[in-house]
Amino acid sequence: MDINKLVRKNIEQLTPYQSARRIGGSGDVWLNANEYPTAPQFNLTIESLNRYPEPQPEDVINRYADYAGVKPDQLIVSRGADEAIELLMRAFCEPNQDSILYCPPTYGMYQVSAETLGIETKIVPTRSDWQLDLNAIRKNLDTVKLIYVCSPNNPTGNLIDQADIKKLLELAKNRALVVIDEAYIEFCPESSIVSWLADYPHLVILRTLSKAFALAGLRCGFTIANKPVIDALQKVIAPYPLAVPVADIAAQALTPKGIASMQSQVAKINQQKEKLIADLAKLPIVEKIYPSSANYLSVKFQADKAVFNQLWSIGIILRDQSRSTGEEGMIRITIGTEAECDAVIAALKEIK
Ligand SMILES: *Cc1c(COP(=O)(O)O)cnc(C)c1O
């Protein structure tokens, strides 16, 4: 029996998300997934695993609401921000009818989730400065229910102009939700637009514990929006999205002490980023280092130097972005420890 004949057509044709882990590699220096380079310590405090978890664990919700400056009813917690990306589509898009819009180069899961669900995608590339092309977006809004914008943008690192996000919110009024993916906002907290929720019923903000909080392995993310949006998501989310140990650790990460250590992690990474920029700037094979508001750098290397493959072969795993950006030699480098960044620089110096 050919099981493939039973698989949905769109799934048969689907290219799954090329996650850093899926791409693989082997070595000691992993700077390809924008993770924090060291692990915070936690103890499990809840042992009653015979019981189902709270659907939306109260401590996690209250503490994150406090941290984010929103009300608990403006928040839903999910299995990473990735689940939130998909929940929005499941709640707001009719398959084979509605569409989502996004602006590459950007995060790959918007496309993958839409394809999985049979939702059409309108792809409006950013301008050459990696900012929104509002005119092209305006012309492509038919049938669009969700517009995904990542700021700071992954993989490029730049913030999206706030005046443009305001214009986008005006364009989308009464027709679509504008979803701002703030996965990296802790590295530039002054740039969050969470305070705009009061003025825009169709604004949605995505957050995660995977990056600045150093908990990518925990799988915990948040959607912030006004209550009607949250209520719609509550209808489609799994009954028990967070395992008991996940909620236990997330609640600890969101205590005042947990938030203080996240902030010191951010300070360390931002400092290390400045050092890496200075070190890279001295290398002749580096053509351009793009400004970054996140925990990674987009760097354009001389195209003929095969930098990505060279470093891969000695166990320094970076993220090749030549295809996503259309620029040969473009590589995204996660800011790691000082030793990891120094290993990158030492390896680059060996390339003639
Ligand atoms: C890492 C990342 C996510 C996924 O976050 P999880 O909470 O780990 O699912 C979402 N959006 C962007 C832009 C990311 O880089």
Side-chain angles (χ1 to χ4, degrees):
M1 176 170 172
D2 184 3
I3 297 299
N4 284 323
K5 285 195 178 132
L6 302 179
V7 174
R8 289 164 63 209
K9 266 235 159 51
N10 58 324
I11 303 302
E12 206 188 345
Q13 290 158 2
L14 183 73
T15 311
Y17 179 66
Q18 293 301 302
S19 68
R21 286 298 171 279
R22 206 170 228 151
I23 291 168
S26 72
D28 298 325
V29 181
W30 291 89
L31 300 177
N32 66 343
N34 297 343
E35 297 148 326
Y36 189 77
T38 58
Q41 295 299 306
F42 294 100
N43 292 311
L44 290 181
T45 62
I46 308 174
E47 291 178 344
S48 51
L49 295 183
N50 57 316
R51 302 290 177 193
Y52 281 108
E54 289 175 89
Q56 290 287 300
E58 207 181 329
D59 280 350
V60 176
I61 290 289
N62 288 340
R63 288 173 194 175
Y64 199 86
D66 224 34
Y67 159 69
V70 299
K71 293 192 294 245
D73 69 3
Q74 293 178 305
L75 201 57
I76 186 169
V77 60
S78 58
R79 184 168 32 80
D82 280 348
E83 184 179 27
I85 290 167
E86 189 168 304
L87 288 175
L88 285 159
M89 295 182 198
R90 285 170 48 206
F92 289 95
C93 295
E94 299 283 0
N96 308 312
Q97 179 180 321
D98 295 333
S99 47
I100 68 150
L101 185 150
Y102 69 93
C103 306
T106 192
Y107 188 51
M109 278 305 289
Y110 314 137
Q111 175 73 36
V112 171
S113 283
E115 279 181 30
T116 305
L117 296 170
I119 294 164
E120 201 197 321
T121 53
K122 308 251 179 162
I123 301 169
V124 180
T126 54
R127 304 180 320 208
S128 58
D129 60 356
W130 288 334
Q131 292 294 329
L132 301 177
D133 185 344
L134 287 167
N135 280 329
I137 291 174
R138 183 186 296 113
K139 290 179 197 145
N140 279 281
L141 281 180
D142 278 357
T143 76
V144 170
K145 286 277 193 72
L146 294 167
I147 302 165
Y148 288 88
V149 173
C150 187
S151 182
N153 187 39
N154 180 5
T156 54
N158 60 293
L159 283 162
I160 302 301
D161 185 346
Q162 292 198 350
D164 285 354
I165 296 178
K166 279 218 167 113
K167 287 181 199 155
L168 182 63
L169 282 158
E170 292 305 324
L171 284 179
K173 205 170 235 167
N174 294 318
R175 58 195 307 170
L177 299 184
V178 175
V179 184
I180 306 297
D181 188 338
E182 291 191 343
Y184 299 96
I185 204 66
E186 284 82 7
F187 297 98
C188 52
E190 66 289 351
S191 299
S192 174
I193 61 165
V194 79
S195 65
W196 298 11
L197 284 172
D199 300 319
Y200 298 102
H202 56 312
L203 172 62
V204 180
I205 292 168
L206 302 181
R207 297 282 189 85
T208 179
L209 299 187
S210 294
K211 310 290 165 46
F213 282 90
L215 290 170
L218 191 65
R219 311 307 302 126
C220 185
F222 298 88
T223 306
I224 309 173
N226 285 293
K227 188 169 180 295
V229 174
I230 299 301
D231 287 347
L233 298 178
Q234 298 280 14
K235 289 186 179 176
V236 299
I237 197 168
Y240 308 106
L242 294 201
V244 168
V246 173
D248 187 2
I249 291 170
Q252 296 173 48
L254 294 167
T255 58
K257 184 165 159 257
I259 288 168
S261 69
M262 176 275 286
Q263 286 162 339
S264 91
Q265 284 156 200
V266 164
K268 261 188 230 158
I269 292 293
N270 282 343
Q271 212 175 0
Q272 186 56 41
K273 179 167 69 179
E274 292 314 311
K275 177 167 186 288
L276 183 62
I277 291 171
D279 290 347
L280 285 166
K282 292 179 198 140
L283 303 178
I285 59 167
V286 172
E287 285 187 352
K288 185 162 182 182
I289 306 160
Y290 290 83
S292 168
S293 300
N295 65 335
Y296 50 86
L297 289 177
S298 275
V299 183
K300 174 120 165 48
F301 292 91
Q302 287 175 4
D304 58 336
K305 293 297 192 287
V307 168
F308 175 79
N309 289 333
Q310 292 263 3
L311 269 62
W312 170 283
S313 69
I314 57 165
I316 297 176
I317 312 298
L318 309 179
R319 188 94 165 169
D320 183 8
Q321 299 291 354
S322 52
R323 194 135 44 103
S324 67
T325 60
E327 297 248 22
E328 268 325 301
M330 191 77 83
I331 293 177
R332 191 191 70 190
I333 307 174
T334 302
I335 311 302
T337 61
E338 182 167 18
E340 288 169 331
C341 293
D342 288 350
V344 170
I345 295 296
L348 290 171
K349 281 183 177 158
E350 293 298 310
I351 300 176
K352 296 291 174 259

